[in-house]
Structures are given as structure tokens and as C-alpha cells.
Amino acid sequence: VDIFPATPASEVLYNDDGKVIGVATSDMGIAKDGTVKDEFARGYALLAKQTVFAEGCRGSCSEAVMEKYNLRENSDPQTYGLGVKEVWEVPADKFKSGFNQHTIGWPLKQDTYGGTFLYHMEPNFVVCGFVVGLNYKNP
């Protein structure tokens, strides 16, 4: 696995058949006026058998793929959610290594999507979270 920190993808790469084959990263070291700085580094073409787009809900590369393949046709509009998370340090006797718990819906009303999660993490932490869809009806 190669990791390229602080290296954003700038465009999606396609083969001659129109299949996604990777991404290109941005050139680095370009001044605001467009001139090349001493520390200039050319971007990379990162090619892969599979490309996963995980750049957030409205990432530029994801948007390009959705437009190219018309992925929004015959689909519901995108919705958003809001989540909160806390990390608790708990006594050792309350800790269950590897324990995960999810709820779907609870404690929300039936017409609102969301839920909760608990993850136990070494050495004695519990991550507690709640997510709710932002398309809920205002009471």
C-alpha cells in the first residue's frame, strides 16, 4: 500500500473504453501567479484495477464520475446526515475488547433514518456515537 499524504487527486483517469483506471494527483510547488517554484513536483498517475472514491459527499472526482456515467439518473437525490462522537475512558472491568454495537433507527422515529454505535478500543476506550439524517421532519 502506498500512501501519499497531502496529495489530492485532481482528475479521474479513464482507458480507451471509458473505464476508470485510476486518478492523477495535482502538481505541487506552483506559485499563486502560476509560475513553477524551486520545490516543484509533478503529479502522479496512480493506476489501479479498482479505484475507490472516498473524498466526501461532494468530492470533485466523485462528481466527475457521477456526471460521466449519469449515475444520478433514476435515483433519489443525495441526502446528508449529522453525527456526533465521543471517546470515553472506562474502567478495565467495563471494557470488552473487540465489542461493537450498532442500532438502526433507535432512538429515532420510524420516518427518520439514523442510529447509534459503540466501539470498544484498546486499551480501555469506548467510542460512542449518534447519526441522524438531515431530511427529518421538523416537529
Side-chain angles (χ1 to χ4, degrees):
V1 174
D2 292 320
I3 299 175
F4 299 91
T7 309
S10 60
E11 68 176 296
V12 181
L13 302 176
Y14 303 92
N15 68 11
D16 293 337
D17 296 329
K19 295 179 184 177
V20 173
I21 58 170
V23 295
T25 64
S26 300
D27 292 340
M28 307 283 277
I30 300 175
K32 289 182 182 179
D33 64 3
T35 60
V36 174
K37 296 180 179 181
D38 290 340
E39 63 270 15
F40 175 79
R42 175 71 61 202
Y44 295 94
L46 302 172
L47 305 178
K49 291 180 182 176
Q50 295 180 340
T51 304
V52 177
F53 294 92
E55 55 182 346
C57 57
R58 301 293 286 208
S60 58
C61 290
S62 297
E63 287 290 318
V65 169
M66 285 187 263
E67 184 175 329
K68 179 174 180 66
Y69 298 116
N70 201 19
L71 297 177
R72 290 196 176 100
E73 183 179 10
N74 300 320
S75 63
D76 292 330
Q78 189 169 5
T79 60
Y80 299 90
L82 178 66
V84 294
K85 175 176 80 172
E86 286 191 7
V87 179
W88 301 334
E89 187 173 6
V90 298
D93 64 323
K94 302 291 183 191
F95 179 75
K96 299 177 185 175
S97 182
F99 179 78
N100 294 321
Q101 178 180 7
H102 299 94
T103 67
I104 299 174
W106 185 87
L108 303 167
K109 294 181 180 180
Q110 282 190 311
D111 61 349
T112 305
Y113 76 87
T116 65
F117 59 88
L118 284 174
Y119 302 136
H120 287 236
M121 299 182 346
E122 299 287 346
N124 63 326
F125 296 106
V126 175
V127 178
C128 175
F130 175 71
V131 179
V132 63
L134 294 180
N135 63 344
Y136 61 88
K137 295 197 179 4
N138 197 0

